Amino acid sequence: MDSDVLKRVRERFANDRYATENGAVIEEVGEGYAKIVMELDKHHYNAVGGVMGGAIFTIADFAFAVASNWQEKTVVSQTAQITYLGKVKGKRMIAEARQVKDGRSMCYYVVEVTDELGSQVAHVTSSGFHVG
């Protein structure tokens, strides 16, 4: 991964403040791909000690946004479906978004959320609409 490309992508998405201020960091991008990492802190956890579903969805949604937009496209989310598979056992979540299809006006991605221990956390499917 070219460090100049990664720096430019991180600067472009710095204004996605909900994700970035909650700790989401772009680790890698590629054609139809993005890898996001989120170090977990006490504010990511719910009352029963698990990671909030909203935090899990946030990292997945950000991965979709980066994967579908980092090459200066404008794609907006049209639908997203999340299935929670298990709890986070580690101290960091990892979301990897992969493009399944990129058509003239729509695209479709799968996002896998895991932790650094390899625990499956969530599976997300997202479709997007090309605005520009």
Side-chain angles (χ1 to χ4, degrees):
M1 164 105 260
D2 183 334
S3 62
D4 289 335
V5 171
L6 187 57
K7 180 181 176 187
R8 191 174 72 248
V9 172
R10 285 178 174 165
E11 287 171 358
R12 177 163 189 226
F13 287 93
N15 285 329
D16 274 5
R17 293 173 52 153
Y18 188 81
T20 58
E21 289 179 9
N22 275 288
V25 176
I26 302 166
E27 287 271 312
E28 191 177 335
V29 293
E31 186 66 38
Y33 174 81
K35 179 179 181 180
I36 310 297
V37 173
M38 180 183 285
E39 299 290 331
L40 298 172
D41 198 352
K42 62 184 177 184
H43 72 274
H44 292 106
Y45 291 86
N46 61 27
V48 295
V51 174
M52 289 286 293
I56 297 167
F57 186 77
T58 295
I59 191 174
D61 187 53
F62 189 53
F64 164 72
V66 173
S68 62
N69 284 287
W70 75 270
Q71 292 177 303
E72 307 296 325
K73 297 177 184 178
T74 304
V75 173
V76 294
S77 181
Q78 191 170 23
T79 64
Q81 169 70 42
I82 187 166
T83 301
Y84 298 99
L85 301 171
K87 70 180 198 172
V88 178
K89 297 175 185 165
K91 295 294 180 193
R92 139 186 148 141
M93 286 192 297
I94 302 152
E96 292 186 85
R98 289 181 174 80
Q99 182 184 85
V100 175
K101 180 170 176 45
D102 190 28
R104 185 177 45 82
S105 60
M106 293 181 62
C107 59
Y108 187 79
Y109 284 74
V110 171
V111 184
E112 299 290 339
V113 182
T114 60
D115 64 17
E116 80 277 15
L117 304 173
S119 307
Q120 291 186 359
V121 176
H123 182 265
V124 179
T125 56
S126 292
S127 63
F129 183 76
H130 292 277
V131 193

